[in-house]
Amino acid sequence: DYSHTQGTRWNKNVLTYRYTRDLPRSAVDSLIQSAFNVWARASGLTFVRLRTNSADIMVEFATNAHGDFYPFDGPRGTLAHAFGPGLGAGGDTHFDDDERWTAGEKTGFNLFVVAAHEFGHALGLKHSRNPASVMYPTYKMSRPSNLLSREDVANINALYSKPFLS
Ligand SMILES: CC(C)C[C@H](CC(=O)NO)C(=O)N[C@H]1Cc2cn(c3ccccc23)CCCCCCNC1=O
Ligand SMILES: [Ca+2]
Ligand SMILES: [Zn+2]
Ligand SMILES: [Zn+2]
């Protein structure tokens, strides 16, 4: 949660995202897309994936020191981080590639669940002390169906419910 370096919300309703390193795994694509869809449904925002040029939300898998002031820490520990809304690094979301990312629920960490947490930050949400919230600071596997708590929906609505009169 590095939103102290950015503003509080995006001033537009269509945000773009792209991977800085195209991963062969089509599963990664659909898990990332599903995580964006969770927030799109709750916020009214639209997410468009770019394959060239820079996007609002650059999605990157990296290990250890990777060009920002928040180096990753190898397997386990910190799983990912994201910057709050804004220009440049704003919105950028990094996943620790030393983790075992999975689409399932058994071994490793579920990329969909982690991405949903990180994209919450990318949209301007902070951590929640409520263990039922997707913004709770520690990982727990949860069903895609009830990923967002009522608090999460209320918080994202408070930021984006009315289309921005740009
Ligand atoms: C919410 C999540 C998707 C993103 C957060 C980071 C975050 O808030 N990003 O926006 C995260 O990685 N939390 C750690 C917090 C954490 C738990 N432990 C740690 C041991 C060392 C360092 C950190 C941790 C105890 C051992 C378990 C380690 C594996 C799971 N790690 C976590 O749950
Ligand atoms: Ca780690
Ligand atoms: Zn977080
Ligand atoms: Zn980073």
Side-chain angles (χ1 to χ4, degrees):
D1 173 8
Y2 307 97
S3 48
H4 55 281
T5 60
Q6 308 296 336
T8 56
R9 59 158 284 175
W10 298 97
N11 55 7
K12 53 184 177 177
N13 304 316
V14 179
L15 298 171
T16 55
Y17 72 97
R18 106 172 159 79
Y19 304 152
T20 50
R21 201 180 68 185
D22 258 346
L23 290 157
R25 289 167 289 177
S26 60
V28 175
D29 296 352
S30 59
L31 292 166
I32 294 288
Q33 191 163 16
S34 303
F36 277 119
N37 286 344
V38 164
W39 292 113
R41 283 195 299 277
S43 67
L45 290 171
T46 302
F47 296 94
V48 174
R49 183 179 172 191
L50 300 183
R51 293 178 185 272
T52 57
N53 305 328
S54 71
D56 301 308
I57 299 173
M58 298 296 276
V59 177
E60 183 175 356
F61 287 79
T63 58
N64 300 311
H66 56 276
D68 57 28
F69 292 108
Y70 310 97
F72 283 129
D73 52 2
R76 300 184 66 76
T78 298
L79 305 181
H81 55 227
F83 294 87
L87 302 176
D92 290 3
T93 302
H94 301 157
F95 296 95
D96 188 346
D97 219 355
D98 277 332
E99 311 304 343
R100 185 205 305 249
W101 294 107
T102 172
E105 321 188 343
K106 299 282 175 293
T107 57
F109 298 101
N110 183 287
L111 182 61
F112 166 73
V113 169
V114 176
H117 175 98
E118 300 309 332
F119 295 153
H121 287 315
L123 297 178
L125 296 186
K126 308 207 178 321
H127 281 155
S128 166
R129 281 188 298 283
N130 176 352
S133 166
V134 73
M135 300 312 294
Y136 193 65
T138 55
Y139 173 85
K140 71 178 176 356
M141 183 58 209
S142 65
R143 295 264 167 285
S145 52
N146 61 6
L147 195 69
L148 298 190
S149 68
R150 278 195 307 280
E151 171 200 9
D152 298 322
V153 175
N155 289 339
I156 201 72
N157 276 333
L159 278 182
Y160 296 101
S161 63
K162 290 171 285 306
F164 190 81
L165 307 176
S166 46

